[in-house]
Amino acid sequence: MEKAKLWAYMLLALLCVAVPLALLLVFYHTPAIPPDLAGYDYFAITTPEGEEHVFAKDEASFAVAAAAFGQARPSALPDSLGESLFLTADWIRGERSLTYRLYLSPLDLTGYAVDERENSYLLPRERVLFMLQQAFSSALLVGQDPPMLTVGQRSIPFALCQWTYTHEGGVVLSSGEYRNTEGGTYPIDAADLTPQFSKAPSSTIYNIYFGADEVLSSEALPDLASLPAGDYQLVLVAEWQEEAVRIRAGYSFLLSQR
């Protein structure tokens, strides 16, 4: 009887040690975002270009970000986002900081935070929308390049572009006007201007300027040979609509009539 009691006490002692250890191991290996981010001092965002935005705890962006991270749940990062641009998010309190990669998709309003251990978390949709509407997310709204334009044997890069994402409920996200550093104004021979897109646009507008004055605007390629002698700029604006995404690109040419 005494031996049975001894074994029972030993078993109880082992359980008292083993159960907390097991729980500690479970919680250690279960990814989680700290629940007290709202008590931190600052939330900082660094854009892909290296521009930093810092928000104190009394600012709306801080509060929304704290709620977004606090409501996030563990979820694998989709392969489609793995190579995407991301923001760097830092939570700062005193000398302590937590760093996350922040992926925000304007196409389907999904967002993921990835911690330094490569654990990923899905953010609430409504919080993602708010963050995408902030200036620090502008680089993430620049989407796929427009279809290739060729004139003769020459590829012509776009000079300006805009990406617009329209969602149910009338929510619209726009990149604003994006200037392409590789684009410019290209000289052309009016007789050789036969634009060819790798994918036909849903609409085109040809605007012709003589100095600062617009002399012609047409949805179809105009008869350039009919222009009076002089130097002109031709601006071609093309649009493509694919489901919720609209791409609007502008191309610039110089031509002379003699």
Side-chain angles (χ1 to χ4, degrees), residues 5 33 42 74 112 171 189 222 238:
K5 288 183 178 180
I33 291 178
Y42 300 98
Y112 290 82
V171 176
D189 187 329

Side-chain angles (χ1 to χ4, degrees), residues 29-32 75 100 113-121:
H29 289 290
T30 300
S75 181
Y100 296 84
V114 180
D115 66 20
E116 294 173 301
R117 292 184 179 180
E118 296 300 317
N119 298 312
S120 63
Y121 309 86

Side-chain angles (χ1 to χ4, degrees), residues 40-64:
Y40 276 53
D41 300 321
Y42 300 98
F43 171 65
I45 283 287
T46 304
T47 69
E49 297 82 15
E51 182 181 358
E52 188 177 45
H53 302 257
V54 180
F55 305 95
K57 63 174 61 178
D58 60 346
E59 297 184 58
S61 291
F62 181 101
V64 171

